[in-house]
Amino acid sequence: MNELALFNDLFDGFGDDGYIMPSFNLKKAFVAPKVDVKEDKDAYTLEMDLPGKTEKDIKIELNRNVLTISSEEKSEKEEKKEEKAEAKEAGKYLIKERTYSKFSRSFTLPEDVDSEKLTAKVTNGVLSVTMPRRALAAPKHIAITAA
């Protein structure tokens, strides 16, 4: 597996139905936050913009070398018992579109990520996941004996 597996959903639908351009998933484009992934000699760093989110709003899981970042937010409707006259003055929603948001992004990590040392932090609405690298075992030569 190579480092490009981090971008496993970049070209979803590329070439489907004979089209040359990747398909455009409108739901995914507006719901799933975009990420930047940086590589250096010691670690990979994934950064994701999550404005308005705190560490309590974000869930990060690692399962069999697949990192999943997700969030779900529900705005509970607050209803107060008011007198009829007060209710007319307070008004009511005609359209309420900002009540629920949910996303989940999964990334297959490169083989050289040390999964025991992953760290994550949220600063000013930006999630940063640091994935330290470990040295991979060198190829081993096996001697062949004649029978």
Side-chain angles (χ1 to χ4, degrees):
M1 182 167 312
N2 64 34
E3 291 77 18
L4 294 178
L6 283 168
F7 308 102
N8 58 347
D9 61 350
L10 180 62
F11 290 107
D12 280 353
F14 189 75
D16 289 352
D17 302 324
Y19 293 108
I20 296 172
M21 295 299 292
S23 64
F24 184 72
N25 185 332
L26 196 59
K27 182 179 177 186
K28 186 176 188 179
F30 293 108
V31 176
K34 303 298 180 196
V35 299
D36 294 332
V37 179
K38 178 182 161 189
E39 172 189 16
D40 61 36
K41 66 177 186 148
D42 298 323
Y44 298 95
T45 303
L46 180 145
E47 292 183 334
M48 179 181 287
D49 288 338
L50 298 171
K53 303 277 187 204
T54 66
E55 67 277 358
K56 295 175 186 173
D57 302 324
I58 304 164
K59 182 178 178 182
I60 302 175
E61 292 183 338
L62 181 64
N63 184 11
R64 296 185 184 208
N65 216 35
V66 175
L67 180 72
T68 301
I69 302 169
S70 60
S71 178
E72 184 172 358
E73 183 178 337
K74 296 179 183 179
S75 296
E76 296 298 326
K77 195 174 183 181
E78 185 177 321
E79 295 183 18
K80 296 180 180 179
K81 294 183 180 181
E82 302 175 4
E83 294 179 16
K84 290 182 181 181
E86 289 178 14
K88 286 182 183 177
E89 291 176 15
K92 65 178 180 177
Y93 284 103
L94 298 177
I95 299 173
K96 188 169 182 175
E97 297 178 331
R98 300 177 298 149
T99 59
Y100 179 77
S101 67
K102 176 181 178 178
F103 80 87
S104 180
R105 298 270 321 254
S106 295
F107 305 91
T108 302
L109 301 182
E111 293 179 23
D112 65 341
V113 169
D114 187 348
S115 61
E116 299 296 320
K117 296 183 180 177
L118 267 64
T119 59
K121 66 179 179 176
V122 177
T123 306
N124 296 328
V126 177
L127 172 67
S128 181
V129 180
T130 303
M131 301 168 275
R133 296 174 90 163
R134 61 184 162 96
L136 293 176
K140 181 179 178 181
H141 293 279
I142 301 171
I144 301 172
T145 57

